[in-house]
Amino acid sequence: QKEVEQNSGPLSVPEGAIASLNCTYSDRGSQSFFWYRQYSGKSPELIMFIYSNGDKEDGRFTAQLNKASQYVSLLIRDSQPSDSATYLCAVNNGDNAGNMLTFGGGTRLMVKP
Amino acid sequence: GAGVSQTPSNKVTEKGKYVELRCDPISGHTALYWYRQSLGQGPEFLIYFQGTGAADDSGLPNDRFFAVRPEGSVSTLKIQRTERGDSAVYLCASSPHGGFLNTEAFFGQGTRLTVV
């Protein structure tokens, strides 16, 4: 059973702070990792993907991957109330033709003004 | 259309009835995925199409669930003898080439199915 685990939250941070979202996965063969944001009642939208160990930055977002520890995280700098949403971690192990994703349960982030 | 379109947006059906959920992917996208999302959970993979064929249907929970994509574009997810446990949001996603590596998959807004 391939599992992706996230703390369900809610994670509450003040506006302007750094929000740190964490995810662990069970399948060592996993090759690529994705962070999706999902607003209540809306569909998931891709924020970032990463497949090499280390950090990947895109604007206020930084994804961090540590394959040895089977850990991936998302940092959001200068958090804004509009960042309040559920953040889904998803993993692709690449050994299937379709590269479908296994999702975690999501972490609900609340950014307070 | 500009994005993935799913119809209906909401469907309420009685236990035991048959339902069809439709997905119209982004034009030209060869890969199409169906996921199911229960309240408070992440999306759960159901089935993947590459073109007209179901390349992987390992996520379908049982034989009451079936999906088709006869012309390689629109897909229909069919659920027979619906049960209350089938209540969820059914999400469709498409991507240009198949596979998520280096390729963004775009999700539709979902169909909220409620079985009463």
Side-chain angles (χ1 to χ4, degrees):
Chain A
Q1 181 83 12
K2 298 169 184 172
E3 295 182 347
V4 178
E5 299 289 341
Q6 296 180 255
N7 188 317
S8 62
L11 172 66
S12 183
V13 300
E15 184 174 357
I18 295 175
S20 178
L21 303 162
N22 305 313
C23 173
T24 59
Y25 58 95
S26 64
D27 184 5
R28 283 198 170 274
S30 298
Q31 295 187 1
S32 51
F33 309 85
F34 301 78
W35 283 101
Y36 282 81
R37 177 175 61 199
Q38 188 173 30
Y39 292 111
S40 181
K42 302 296 184 183
S43 59
E45 54 181 334
L46 182 67
I47 301 174
M48 293 186 69
F49 63 86
I50 185 170
Y51 40 87
S52 299
N53 275 328
D55 295 359
K56 180 181 178 182
E57 187 174 317
D58 184 359
R60 295 187 296 113
F61 299 95
T62 298
Q64 299 176 317
L65 175 61
N66 184 327
K67 289 187 177 180
S69 300
Q70 296 175 238
Y71 177 92
V72 58
S73 65
L74 180 70
L75 302 178
I76 307 174
R77 289 181 297 282
D78 188 23
S79 296
Q80 302 297 309
S82 59
D83 294 326
S84 298
T86 296
Y87 289 79
L88 297 165
C89 173
V91 172
N92 166 323
N93 65 16
D95 68 356
N96 50 67
N99 289 320
M100 67 287 294
L101 299 180
T102 301
F103 282 86
T107 298
R108 189 158 68 95
L109 173 66
M110 297 173 59
V111 181
K112 297 191 174 181
Chain B
V4 178
S5 176
Q6 292 188 245
T7 55
S9 55
N10 282 283
K11 176 71 176 178
V12 180
T13 191
E14 292 181 347
K15 179 176 177 294
K17 298 291 188 182
Y18 167 83
V19 295
E20 290 188 351
L21 312 179
R22 176 188 168 107
C23 172
D24 198 342
I26 293 172
S27 179
H29 281 196
T30 61
L32 185 148
Y33 304 79
W34 283 99
Y35 286 82
R36 176 171 70 174
Q37 187 172 26
S38 300
L39 191 63
Q41 304 295 317
E44 173 191 21
F45 168 75
L46 295 177
I47 187 170
Y48 156 65
F49 287 91
Q50 181 60 259
T52 61
D56 189 327
D57 64 358
S58 62
L60 295 177
N62 52 60
D63 61 6
R64 295 186 298 105
F65 289 75
F66 188 70
V68 296
R69 194 185 185 198
E71 298 178 355
S73 178
V74 171
S75 176
T76 304
L77 178 66
K78 307 180 181 191
I79 310 175
Q80 299 177 321
R81 304 183 304 280
T82 51
E83 299 178 356
R84 292 194 179 88
D86 299 334
S87 297
V89 175
Y90 288 80
L91 293 165
C92 177
S94 72
S95 66
H97 308 297
F100 283 86
L101 190 62
N102 284 336
T103 300
E104 180 171 357
F106 296 86
F107 281 86
Q109 291 301 309
T111 294
R112 181 175 299 277
L113 175 66
T114 303
V115 182
V116 297

